[in-house]
Amino acid sequence: MAPGYWPGSLIAMASKARAEKTFADLEPQLQDLSEWMFHHPERALQEFETSRRLAGWLEAYGAVTYPAYGLATAFEVTVGTQGPRVVLCAEFDALPEVGHACGHNLIATAALGAFASLAEQADELGVRVTLLGTPAEEAYGGKVDLIAAGAFDDAAAAMMVHPAAVDALDPNILAVRHISVEYRGKDAHAAFAPQVGINALDAFVQAYVNISTLRQSLYPTDKVHGIVTHGGDAPNIIPSRTTSSWYVRAPEAVRLAELSAKVDACFEAAARATGCALSITQSGHTYQELQTNSHLAATFAANAARLGRKLLRGDDLPVGATGSTDMGNVSQLIPSIHPFMSIDSLPAVNHQPEFAKHTLGPAGHRMLRDGALAMAWTIIDLAVEDGFGRLTD
């Protein structure tokens, strides 16, 4: 029987079975890629070897643009020649010291798996599927530059999956501002003449105390955290310069602006109290809050259920189980999802070395498979059931 005469659900079932078979053939390669990434972590904007390897793997599916959109480690490839375009976002940068403790090795390979499993049937489905390599999610916000360069201009939808300690369909993802703070004082001998110095470390300590005092008046969804990155040069020298790095988070952009003003006031008060000069600079881009598209999420949840996963809703997650991502900026422009998928890591959670190890175990392999298939099957449903029109309902 010609495909045009089949009921839509039967067409979708056949397409999903075909995608699953294609993925199964590629699964060992994707697991190997994930393990290679685990052992070769590269930090934001330094992902040169990783991006070359991922882009090279994709060359079997078409002409890969690499580098892409003015970013040295971004890449892009599209299958399908007509119809709505879906962008699969592949993150691949690692964290300092703890490596792939946020599981970007699984994010990237799940996206590759979804893309490859649809490659041979994209034209039949009447859909275009783009695999977009998105650098520097952890520290800079490569997707913001990709937005500005036009990478998402004609996209009907965007999606990615993220490993976590729990399954969640629409996690509470906060807006975030990344800032670097510098205090400048005056050197002096710490024993002989401390009175002629101006202590920049005191300024940092006072700012830290100011922000700790501010916490009692914050909403539970507000987050402020920072580290000292330079505290001085020797114990017997009054520090003339200190630097620190801070994240300020809030549920939406308006509240982020309000909270940022209060945090900046804490830094300014410490400068006045100690006599230091103050410099506050933004590091990378501001990330916006995530806006989960309801129809896209419901379609993904149904496919995840077929794979044995019941995804929690954001309000059902443990208190404080949240974060920030530049995928939020994408979601403000086009229908998007960013579900969490468990790798059975508890008590380990994201950004712990123990979490990274779970990406290579059976649960990590299952997450790679489930994430890839749930995304691929969701795209099939959108194409077969004319679901793209419902993304803007």
Side-chain angles (χ1 to χ4, degrees), residues 24-87:
D25 292 340
L26 299 169
E27 190 170 9
Q29 296 179 38
L30 295 166
Q31 291 178 2
D32 288 346
L33 273 175
S34 175
E35 183 172 355
W36 181 90
M37 290 177 66
F38 176 91
H39 291 294
H40 299 82
E42 294 180 299
R43 294 173 60 176
L45 299 178
Q46 301 300 314
E47 321 97 324
F48 298 107
E49 192 174 359
T50 304
S51 60
R52 281 195 297 270
R53 186 169 291 252
L54 297 176
W57 189 88
L58 289 163
E59 287 176 353
Y61 301 95
V64 180
T65 302
Y66 173 69
Y69 297 104
L71 293 178
T73 56
F75 51 90
E76 181 186 72
V77 59
T78 298
V79 292
T81 56
Q82 59 184 347
R85 185 169 77 100
V86 179
V87 178

Side-chain angles (χ1 to χ4, degrees), residues 123-146:
D123 278 322
E124 299 169 33
L125 291 166
V127 65
R128 292 173 293 152
V129 183
T130 295
L131 190 291
L132 182 63
T134 63
E137 186 275 335
E138 289 290 357
Y140 178 77
K143 294 185 191 67
V144 183
D145 284 333
L146 291 169

Side-chain angles (χ1 to χ4, degrees), residues 63-269:
V64 180
T65 302
Y66 173 69
Y69 297 104
L71 293 178
T73 56
F75 51 90
E76 181 186 72
V77 59
T78 298
V79 292
T81 56
Q82 59 184 347
R85 185 169 77 100
V86 179
V87 178
L88 295 166
C89 294
E91 298 172 1
F92 45 87
D93 59 319
L95 291 157
E97 302 301 327
V98 293
H100 277 293
C102 210
H104 289 198
N105 51 325
L106 292 178
I107 294 173
T109 49
L112 265 63
F115 173 84
S117 67
L118 293 174
E120 64 182 15
Q121 54 177 319
D123 278 322
E124 299 169 33
L125 291 166
V127 65
R128 292 173 293 152
V129 183
T130 295
L131 190 291
L132 182 63
T134 63
E137 186 275 335
E138 289 290 357
Y140 178 77
K143 294 185 191 67
V144 183
D145 284 333
L146 291 169
I147 289 169
F152 297 91
D153 278 359
D154 66 339
M159 63 181 72
M160 58 175 285
V161 292
H162 200 299
V166 296
D167 287 312
L169 179 60
D170 52 352
N172 298 313
I173 301 297
L174 306 177
V176 65
R177 172 185 176 226
H178 311 88
I179 54 176
S180 296
V181 176
E182 180 184 56
Y183 288 107
R184 289 264 182 190
K186 183 178 180 181
D187 292 316
H189 194 294
F192 181 75
Q195 70 277 6
V196 302
I198 300 175
N199 196 316
L201 184 58
D202 282 348
F204 166 79
V205 171
Q206 186 59 57
Y208 199 96
V209 171
N210 289 347
I211 290 171
S212 295
T213 304
L214 176 66
R215 294 186 194 281
Q216 67 180 317
S217 65
L218 300 184
Y219 294 115
T221 48
D222 294 335
K223 314 282 183 181
V224 184
H225 29 258
I227 60 168
V228 60
T229 53
H230 180 75
D233 299 307
N236 62 345
I237 303 172
I238 295 294
S240 63
R241 175 178 176 269
T242 60
T243 61
S244 54
S245 180
W246 296 82
Y247 285 11
V248 184
R249 306 183 200 250
E252 67 283 321
V254 172
R255 175 58 186 166
L256 181 62
E258 296 171 350
L259 179 57
S260 291
K262 294 183 178 184
V263 171
D264 287 358
C266 291
F267 295 128
E268 291 160 2

Side-chain angles (χ1 to χ4, degrees), residues 27 307-309 342 344 361-371:
E27 190 170 9
L307 293 161
R309 290 183 183 263
S342 172
D344 295 339
H365 290 163
R366 183 191 170 205
M367 183 263 152
L368 193 168
R369 177 183 184 275
D370 291 353

Side-chain angles (χ1 to χ4, degrees), residues 305-318:
R306 285 192 60 196
L307 293 161
R309 290 183 183 263
K310 182 179 179 181
L311 305 182
L312 297 174
R313 304 306 302 266
D315 292 341
D316 297 325
L317 291 173

